Amino acid sequence: MTSTTSRDSAQKPRLLESRRVLTLILLAAFVGSLLNLDWTTGFIHSGGIDAMGEFAKALFTLDLSADTLTSAISASWTTVAYAVAGLTLALLIGIPLGAIGSGVLTRSPWLRVTSGGGTRFSLAFFRSIHELVWAWLFVAAIGLSPMAAVLALAIPYGGILGRIYAELLQDVPDAPLRSLRSTGASEWRVFWYGRLPMALPDMLSYTFYRLECGIRSAAIMSFVGLGGLGHEIRISLDDLAYQQVWTYLLFLIGLVVIVDVWSTMVRRRLSE
Amino acid sequence: MALLRTREPETLYSAASCSVSLTAVSKQYGVKEAIFPLNLSIDAGERVAFLGPSGGGKTTLLRLLSGQLETSTGTVCLCDRDLSTMPTGRQVSQLVGMIHQQFDLIPNLSALQNTLAGQLGEWSLIKSLVSLVWPMNRDIGLSALTRVGVEGIAYQRAGSLSGGEQQRVAIARLLVQDPQVILADEPVSSLDPARAGEVLQLLVGIAEEAGKTLIASMHSVELAREHFSRLIGLRNGAVIFDLPSHEVTEDMLHDLYNLQGLRSET
């Protein structure tokens, strides 16, 4: 029925179709916000243009002194350590909760709804709060310790991974699973022998993407004082030492690129 | 298979005679009649092929026999046991195993692990998990792969194998599962003609050798006549003929696939 109605409306475009209405509302909001801007005082404050120029110029006069480089390397190490530890913990949350939340471990509809629903709700709760907010909470609770950073990263990332894993595990083609079931395998064995192996390449590739995000997040999180690249960037920004800021930024970019290359290599090996 | 392992004597089932019987079995999908009430009995060790146009009920009938579908009316008995009263997937899997047109292997696991998956119904969860990393009962798997002629690719990913090799691995998995009745849903339809003949020969040979009952739906009339002793023509969910292969005439086959007749009936 739905397919015929949508085909009908495609033939006779209606002005008040819900999609159009939404487009119009968004367009109106955009135009409205433009009109509401205070154009007379300009976007940026008076010294803004100069500051931007200086910041851009600093890229060509990088601070490559031994001091800065050692602190950049040690800060990079801290950031990577936070990201890896956080993601590892996130995997411990995401894999089991994702598997339960996908509802594929049981054939009982009742269990599927209760355990699946409950798990998906907690996953949604974990990820709907941003890692920066979790960081504030944990710094308040346990002080400026690496544990705060790792936990702050692990919880929302666990929520995100769990949700994506659940979807990937559900979307596996059904026919090979059916033939596993016909050998007498329970849903648990079907999970380990069918669903997981078939979903694994996509899960892995998404996990790598999350590691990349984790490095950026770990850098940003250290703005609250937890050490790492973000912490150094903030100190250098406060000192208006743009040359140093660029050095740290390039280290951050370098880390992300390394993870990207690594994930490409792993994925290529998997698909062989 | 007796060749592959010695099974503990099963008191409930005997390997010697495992017949299949359908009594007043029918199947409806909503208001549509997929299978009209029919009786059918197949002796132990018989090799039967279902023929007929697509949508005629071949696959539905096989799925009813495998317990994947429940009958709307009537009973399916395997080895004199009512299929609907058998509680667990494991018990059913000892009686009946199925292979499909699309092989249905797990592409990311090795051929050997796909083969050994035939024992998943009997392994404990721990043993199954260990076997994912370190294949258990490797010799059973390897001898099954040797029997189907592909022992050389035991450690390759199933997804990287050719169609013919994949179907052989699927047959090896069936050997390891060791059911009494083998169901095959168009087992060679996605293979080229040369490969199709070879693989079917292998399947039939194995069934014969171990005295298994083999029931297949077949797309190719020629292959069905060549390899099966009894042919059952199905159209619109009803049995059109049920005869020994050599008694099936061209006229009967013509009527079975006749488009004119199909159109007037549907």
Side-chain angles (χ1 to χ4, degrees):
Chain A
M1 277 317 280
T2 38
S3 69
T4 47
T5 32
S6 71
R7 208 182 305 130
D8 287 346
S9 57
Q11 284 162 352
K12 287 176 283 174
R14 272 178 299 159
L15 196 63
L16 284 178
E17 204 185 328
S18 56
R19 251 186 321 168
R20 279 164 206 280
V21 172
L22 185 64
T23 314
L24 282 178
I25 291 174
L26 289 175
L27 211 65
F30 176 66
V31 173
S33 65
L34 284 184
L35 293 176
N36 273 318
L37 275 178
D38 183 3
W39 293 93
T40 48
T41 49
F43 281 124
I44 26 187
H45 65 88
S46 50
I49 303 274
D50 292 342
M52 294 271 271
E54 248 177 83
F55 186 63
K57 247 193 295 172
L59 175 57
F60 302 99
T61 54
L62 282 179
D63 181 355
L64 295 173
S65 65
D67 265 4
T68 315
L69 283 183
T70 32
S71 74
I73 288 170
S74 112
S76 301
W77 174 246
T78 311
T79 299
V80 170
Y82 286 171
V84 171
L87 200 76
T88 310
L89 212 56
L91 284 173
L92 293 181
I93 299 172
I95 292 175
L97 291 191
I100 298 169
S102 67
V104 299
L105 290 175
T106 169
R107 278 173 220 181
S108 135
W110 188 82
L111 259 182
R112 197 174 284 201
V113 169
T114 48
S115 69
T119 315
R120 276 200 302 276
F121 176 79
S122 39
L123 286 174
F125 171 72
F126 290 163
R127 70 173 183 272
S128 56
I129 298 172
H130 194 268
E131 52 264 31
L132 206 52
V133 179
W134 283 114
W136 273 319
L137 286 175
F138 281 115
V139 166
I142 49 183
L144 284 174
S145 93
M147 190 54 94
V150 171
L151 284 177
L153 202 65
I155 290 174
Y157 274 53
I160 295 167
L161 288 179
R163 184 237 153 107
I164 300 285
Y165 288 169
E167 272 175 22
L168 291 175
L169 287 168
Q170 281 169 344
D171 288 349
V172 154
D174 200 42
L177 303 181
R178 234 183 292 136
S179 70
L180 276 184
R181 278 184 207 116
S182 77
T183 69
S186 66
E187 287 306 309
W188 270 88
R189 291 169 182 79
V190 169
F191 175 80
W192 286 100
Y193 272 78
R195 284 189 192 274
L196 196 60
M198 286 199 279
L200 201 59
D202 285 340
M203 285 169 70
L204 206 65
S205 126
Y206 187 76
T207 309
F208 268 108
Y209 168 66
R210 271 293 137 195
L211 179 62
E212 214 178 289
C213 299
I215 285 174
R216 280 184 290 127
S217 288
I220 294 303
M221 265 189 338
S222 57
F223 269 66
V224 300
L226 283 162
L229 279 173
H231 189 58
E232 302 295 339
I233 290 172
R234 184 182 155 174
I235 293 171
S236 304
L237 269 177
D238 286 349
D239 295 346
L240 300 181
Y242 293 141
Q243 287 99 333
Q244 280 177 22
V245 172
W246 272 112
T247 309
Y248 295 130
L249 283 178
L250 288 179
F251 266 82
L252 185 57
I253 295 168
L255 290 181
V256 171
V257 169
I258 289 170
V259 172
D260 188 36
V261 171
W262 182 25
S263 85
T264 313
M265 279 177 358
V266 170
R267 257 178 297 157
R268 192 174 303 149
R269 251 194 55 200
L270 263 184
S271 63
E272 259 167 18
Chain B
M1 256 178 84
L3 296 177
L4 290 173
R5 74 185 133 134
T6 47
R7 244 178 207 283
E8 276 124 41
E10 291 278 355
T11 44
L12 277 173
Y13 326 110
S14 71
S17 81
C18 192
S19 57
V20 177
S21 73
L22 286 77
T23 317
V25 165
S26 73
K27 179 69 192 175
Q28 285 126 334
Y29 293 113
V31 290
K32 191 184 174 293
E33 201 86 26
I35 299 285
F36 286 97
L38 59 80
N39 295 312
L40 197 61
S41 93
I42 295 172
D43 290 336
E46 227 181 334
R47 297 190 311 281
V48 180
F50 295 148
L51 290 174
S54 340
K58 303 191 297 280
T59 302
T60 307
L61 204 49
L62 284 176
R63 295 186 65 197
L64 290 171
L65 286 171
S66 70
Q68 286 176 27
L69 272 182
E70 279 178 31
T71 57
S72 300
T73 65
T75 49
V76 176
C77 286
L78 296 176
C79 310
D80 301 323
R81 293 247 297 159
D82 185 346
L83 194 59
S84 60
T85 63
M86 272 183 260
T88 62
R90 185 174 158 261
Q91 281 191 28
V92 175
S93 75
Q94 289 176 344
L95 290 185
V96 56
M98 192 156 179
I99 61 172
H100 301 265
Q101 181 181 354
Q102 290 305 329
F103 330 131
D104 296 343
L105 303 175
I106 308 298
N108 296 318
L109 294 183
S110 69
L112 178 63
Q113 269 163 335
N114 269 290
T115 306
L116 289 171
Q119 289 200 318
L120 280 180
E122 300 185 8
W123 285 358
S124 68
L125 187 58
I126 302 287
K127 188 171 177 185
S128 317
L129 290 185
V130 172
S131 182
L132 266 182
V133 184
W134 186 254
M136 310 285 274
N137 302 28
R138 198 181 298 237
D139 46 335
I140 293 178
L142 287 176
S143 63
L145 286 170
T146 309
R147 176 64 187 86
V148 300
V150 290
E151 67 279 13
I153 48 91
Y155 295 96
Q156 282 183 36
R157 275 174 6 96
S160 70
L161 304 176
S162 73
E165 286 168 332
Q166 290 196 33
Q167 194 60 303
R168 281 164 191 267
V169 173
I171 295 174
R173 177 167 67 188
L174 208 60
L175 278 180
V176 169
Q177 183 187 337
D178 191 24
Q180 305 295 321
V181 178
I182 297 174
L183 304 177
D185 189 11
E186 304 217 354
V188 294
S189 292
S190 51
L191 303 178
D192 64 73
R195 226 52 72 226
E198 283 171 30
V199 171
L200 198 59
Q201 180 72 58
L202 177 73
L203 184 64
V204 170
I206 281 171
E208 226 165 0
E209 191 178 300
K212 310 268 183 208
T213 311
L214 175 64
I215 305 171
S217 66
M218 292 293 296
H219 182 71
S220 151
V221 176
E222 289 72 36
L223 284 174
R225 279 183 138 166
E226 191 182 332
H227 293 284
F228 293 85
S229 51
R230 176 176 168 194
L231 304 181
I232 296 176
L234 286 166
R235 185 160 80 177
N236 294 339
V239 173
I240 305 293
F241 61 76
D242 178 359
L243 292 167
S245 295
H246 57 92
E247 284 178 30
V248 175
T249 65
E250 288 303 323
D251 282 349
M252 290 176 182
L253 291 168
H254 183 77
D255 284 348
L256 181 61
Y257 289 96
N258 184 349
L259 278 177
Q260 208 61 50
L262 259 188
R263 217 168 285 144
S264 64
E265 281 170 46
T266 43

